[in-house]
Amino acid sequence: MGKKEKAKERREKRLQEIQLLRSIPYSHHQRWWSKETIAVVTGGNRGIGFEICRQLAAHGLTVILTSRDATAGGESIKVLQEGGLDVVYHQLDVIDNSSINHFVEWLHENYGGLDILVNNAGVNFNLGSDNSVENARKVIEINYYGTKNLTESLIPLMKPSIVGARIVNVSSRLGRINGRRNRISNIALREQLSDVDCLSEELIDGTLSAFLQQVEDGSWASGGWPQIYTDYSVSKLAVNAYTRLTARKLSERPEGQKIYINCYCPGWVKTALTGFAGNNSVEEGADSGVWLALLLDQTVMGKFFAERREINF
């Protein structure tokens, strides 16, 4: 049996283990949440975001499903509510400051804050073997800046508790700094991004600015950037770096006011984002995100996960 076959076999075995774990209900002592626990999910009208909303609501939390398109969001919410789930809807465009401000005010007035934030909203304009960077600026604006701006706006509203609030960023292995495939070739930059003590918003934003400048002048292909889904990969590289940077900042919060932030890769999921060409179901893709959001023992912070296991950045 070759390496690929062995890897596939290990992965299939792991997915079977997770499926078994998902079938076992949380015990009483594991259920730190209640109906009063508020979870906000962005990009929740379809795909992984919709499934995360469904699973969290099925576990008994109050879920606020958000999406840019109010019509699509309204239709999605009906499906969940008809299934007896406690889910409410509010329009939210993560790259529109006025939309974010309006949502923050509404959330504060109606719920007093939130306990869980799942940053799922994201876009990808390449399907199959396509690798155009025509929409690179939009991809980075939504996937990275949207995630960052919303997170910074909602951190002040995260409720204090003994178990801590949680932020889960939906990311991708494609954005790994030191992955064997698809990594940036600039060794010095990789080392800077790998060193959490050196991480800063200036470094992350500067990396994105350099990439977008090369996109504009046409030199990106020889610039050492990821060669597969380039703009999407760079945007998720930034999300991963931001997760680690924010974890460092949040680690200084006192007990009772802790906020735990991590990111995860859902895998190649059969959704509109992949042209429904993935090999994971939405249930499998949402699983690690829901698991992270509900994990009782939140000793992990600023980590990257896939299939309920930590992986390297």
Side-chain angles (χ1 to χ4, degrees):
M1 184 182 295
K3 290 184 178 180
K4 288 185 177 180
E5 288 77 12
K6 288 182 179 179
K8 182 179 180 181
E9 186 178 82
R10 286 195 300 270
R11 180 180 173 277
E12 289 177 348
K13 183 179 180 181
R14 180 59 185 164
L15 291 178
Q16 289 174 0
E17 291 173 354
I18 293 172
Q19 188 173 11
L20 176 60
L21 290 171
R22 285 180 55 208
S23 69
I24 303 172
Y26 282 89
S27 64
H28 179 71
H29 80 274
Q30 291 175 311
R31 295 176 64 89
W32 59 266
W33 63 89
S34 68
K35 204 65 160 179
E36 285 67 48
T37 303
I38 308 300
V40 172
V41 182
T42 66
N45 62 292
R46 65 179 185 178
I48 295 171
F50 179 85
E51 180 60 21
I52 288 175
C53 289
R54 190 192 68 78
Q55 290 189 25
L56 287 174
H59 284 301
L61 293 81
T62 294
V63 178
I64 300 173
L65 183 157
T66 72
S67 68
R68 180 184 58 81
D69 187 326
T71 301
E75 292 174 352
S76 298
I77 211 76
K78 288 180 182 177
V79 173
L80 295 173
Q81 289 175 342
E82 287 172 358
L85 299 176
D86 191 0
V87 183
V88 296
Y89 176 75
H90 197 283
Q91 191 276 339
L92 175 62
D93 185 342
V94 297
I95 60 171
D96 183 336
N97 287 333
S98 63
S99 177
I100 291 176
N101 292 337
H102 180 63
F103 177 72
V104 168
E105 291 175 6
W106 173 85
L107 183 63
H108 182 258
E109 291 175 3
N110 289 273
Y111 295 94
L114 72 161
D115 303 276
I116 297 170
L117 170 63
V118 180
N119 285 307
N120 168 74
V123 294
N124 167 44
F125 292 93
N126 290 313
L127 299 176
S129 59
D130 296 341
N131 194 35
S132 167
V133 294
E134 179 182 354
N135 297 293
R137 189 168 294 277
K138 187 172 184 179
V139 169
I140 286 172
E141 182 182 19
I142 295 173
N143 294 2
Y144 170 65
Y145 286 106
T147 293
K148 181 175 78 167
N149 293 341
L150 180 64
T151 299
E152 298 299 325
S153 297
L154 288 180
I155 281 177
L157 282 188
M158 302 204 84
K159 298 178 180 179
S161 68
I162 297 174
V163 296
R166 292 98 194 280
I167 301 172
V168 179
N169 292 330
V170 180
S171 190
S172 173
R173 288 184 180 91
L174 290 171
R176 293 175 66 190
I177 303 169
N178 293 304
R180 286 178 293 177
R181 298 189 307 155
N182 212 44
R183 65 185 179 186
I184 53 178
S185 63
N186 185 325
I187 297 175
L189 180 57
R190 284 211 312 268
E191 290 178 348
Q192 285 182 298
L193 292 170
S194 298
D195 186 348
V196 69
D197 294 325
C198 289
L199 273 178
S200 65
E201 287 192 33
E202 290 76 17
L203 174 61
I204 300 171
D205 292 354
T207 300
L208 296 176
S209 294
F211 169 66
L212 291 174
Q213 180 58 50
Q214 291 188 21
V215 167
E216 290 182 6
D217 64 29
S219 64
W220 68 272
S222 59
W225 303 104
Q227 297 301 301
I228 302 173
Y229 297 111
T230 300
D231 53 3
Y232 181 81
S233 299
V234 172
S235 74
K236 292 304 185 180
L237 171 72
V239 168
N240 291 345
Y242 173 73
T243 300
R244 298 170 72 231
L245 172 62
T246 306
R248 189 185 75 197
K249 295 178 179 178
L250 294 176
S251 66
E252 300 174 358
R253 295 173 70 97
E255 291 299 326
Q257 298 181 36
K258 293 290 188 183
I259 300 175
Y260 298 96
I261 181 170
N262 294 286
C263 57
Y264 90 101
C265 174
W268 197 31
V269 183
K270 297 174 184 176
T271 65
L273 195 73
T274 64
F276 298 96
N279 53 16
N280 285 1
S281 67
V282 287
E283 291 82 6
E284 292 168 333
D287 177 76
S288 289
V290 173
W291 170 74
L292 271 175
L294 300 183
L295 196 62
L296 176 61
D297 183 17
Q298 279 285 18
T299 57
V300 293
M301 190 172 183
K303 303 298 184 181
F304 192 13
F305 293 85
E307 296 164 7
R308 297 197 183 193
R309 287 180 176 176
E310 184 181 344
I311 60 176
N312 294 327
F313 278 96

